[in-house]
């Protein structure tokens, strides 16, 4: 599926749901995680083999924007997978993740448009598949998915995006800064949605969210979550002071 087709499909689905013209059918088989629709490009490499470039020249800015576009495209798939994979959740859960998918599609289109303004496009550079690999590792549990995707991988964007904005400001790329600021502002809400449904899943099985989250980091997340952290954004995204201190 081409990126513009996916974005259009998400928009049409959201419109149908808001107009009460969509039938939620929980009997539909859960899709295989490997069946996600993606274009033939970009070429996917091991993260260590994806070239890094400095932002002081146009090629470096294009490479950065391409990496962000790839993250946003994967985020569409992650939101849709959370929507269709985990059954028997409250209706608000599905409405939340559909709204996230629509936001991510819009973010992707914003970044892609900026790439096109710089005579580039999504697919021109290699990328890696780290975000989707985490989806594959968390198909067994909505609780684990909510902990490790929105509250770890997406929350990481809250930490690193302000620094990217400052670096782009330093080279005078105000248009790219505006795009990233929009994404940053709205991603706080996406992380908060993950926090909300992680807490809900914990409540359903009678466990405490704070120690559960920290234990999942230890057992299910390779490596460690490294700072510096955007404390204010993470607090708005539903992290507790105890979690941030840990």
């Amino acid at each position: 599926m081409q990126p513009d087709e996916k974005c259009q499909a998400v928009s049409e689905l959201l419109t149908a749901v808001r107009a009460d013209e969509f039938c939620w059918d929980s009997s539909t088989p859960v899709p295989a995680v490997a069946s996600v629709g993606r274009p033939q490009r970009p070429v996917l490499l091991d993260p260590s083999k994806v070239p890094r470039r400095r932002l002081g020249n146009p090629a470096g800015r294009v490479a950065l924007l391409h990496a962000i576009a790839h993250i946003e495209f994967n985020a569409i798939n992650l939101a849709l997978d959370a929507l269709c994979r985990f059954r028997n959740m409250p209706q608000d859960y599905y409405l939340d993740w559909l709204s996230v998918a629509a936001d991510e599609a819009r973010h992707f289109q914003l970044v892609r448009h900026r790439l096109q303004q710089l005579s580039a496009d999504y697919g021109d550079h290699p990328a890696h598949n780290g975000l989707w690999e985490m989806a594959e590792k968390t198909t067994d549990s909505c609780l684990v998915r909510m902990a490790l995707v929105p509250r770890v991988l997406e929350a990481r964007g809250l930490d690193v995006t302000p620094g990217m904005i400052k670096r782009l400001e330093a080279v005078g790329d105000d248009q790219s800064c505006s795009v990233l600021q929009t994404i940053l502002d709205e991603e706080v809400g996406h992380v908060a949605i993950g926090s909300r449904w992680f807490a809900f899943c914990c409540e359903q099985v009678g466990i405490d969210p704070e120690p559960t989250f920290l234990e999942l980091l230890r057992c299910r997340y390779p490596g460690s979550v490294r700072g510096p952290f955007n404390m204010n954004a993470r607090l708005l995204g539903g992290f507790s002071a105890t979690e941030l201190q840990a």
Side-chain angles (χ1 to χ4, degrees), residues 103-123:
D103 284 351
E104 304 294 12
R106 182 166 43 80
H107 294 171
F108 171 79
Q109 290 171 313
L110 285 171
V111 182
R112 189 181 189 189
H113 178 65
R114 182 61 185 141
L115 279 172
Q116 291 169 340
Q117 289 178 326
L118 297 171
S119 301
D121 202 355
Y122 181 57

Side-chain angles (χ1 to χ4, degrees), residues 6 22 35 53 59 65 77 81 102 134 149 152 173 182 203 208 222 234 246:
K6 185 179 291 285
F22 180 80
S35 67
R53 296 181 179 178
L65 290 167
N77 290 331
D81 191 78
M134 183 58 78
V149 174
V152 176
D173 191 346
T182 296
E203 181 181 0
D208 189 337
R234 281 178 174 264

Side-chain angles (χ1 to χ4, degrees), residues 55-198:
L55 297 187
N57 58 69
R61 293 196 291 278
V62 164
L64 172 66
L65 290 167
H66 188 277
I68 295 169
H70 185 64
I71 289 170
E72 298 302 321
F73 186 78
N74 271 278
I76 302 170
N77 290 331
L78 285 164
L80 294 174
D81 191 78
L83 189 157
C84 68
R85 180 163 306 283
F86 302 111
R87 307 299 168 90
N88 302 314
M89 295 288 284
Q91 185 178 21
D92 281 353
Y93 169 88
Y94 303 103
L95 296 175
D96 274 350
W97 286 110
L98 178 54
S99 73
V100 171
D103 284 351
E104 304 294 12
R106 182 166 43 80
H107 294 171
F108 171 79
Q109 290 171 313
L110 285 171
V111 182
R112 189 181 189 189
H113 178 65
R114 182 61 185 141
L115 279 172
Q116 291 169 340
Q117 289 178 326
L118 297 171
S119 301
D121 202 355
Y122 181 57
D124 288 353
H125 292 261
H128 67 78
N129 204 32
L131 279 174
W132 194 249
E133 287 172 358
M134 183 58 78
E136 294 172 339
K137 294 175 182 177
T138 57
T139 57
D140 58 321
S141 166
C142 185
L143 186 154
V144 176
R145 173 69 65 84
M146 295 299 105
L148 298 185
V149 174
R151 303 194 89 230
V152 176
L153 299 185
E154 292 193 60
R156 188 65 184 141
L158 305 183
D159 302 328
V160 302
T161 304
M164 291 191 288
I165 291 173
K166 287 182 179 179
R167 290 163 66 197
L168 289 167
E169 286 176 341
V171 296
D173 191 346
D174 293 338
Q175 288 175 280
S176 296
C177 290
S178 178
V179 170
L180 294 193
Q181 188 64 55
T182 296
I183 293 173
L184 174 60
D185 292 343
E186 296 183 0
E187 289 293 347
V188 172
H190 299 175
V191 175
I193 286 172
S195 294
R196 173 189 177 188
W197 292 110
F198 171 66

Side-chain angles (χ1 to χ4, degrees), residues 13-28:
L13 176 59
L14 181 62
T15 298
V17 169
R18 286 177 171 172
D20 200 24
E21 296 174 352
F22 180 80
C23 179
W24 300 91
D25 185 0
S26 60
S27 67
T28 303

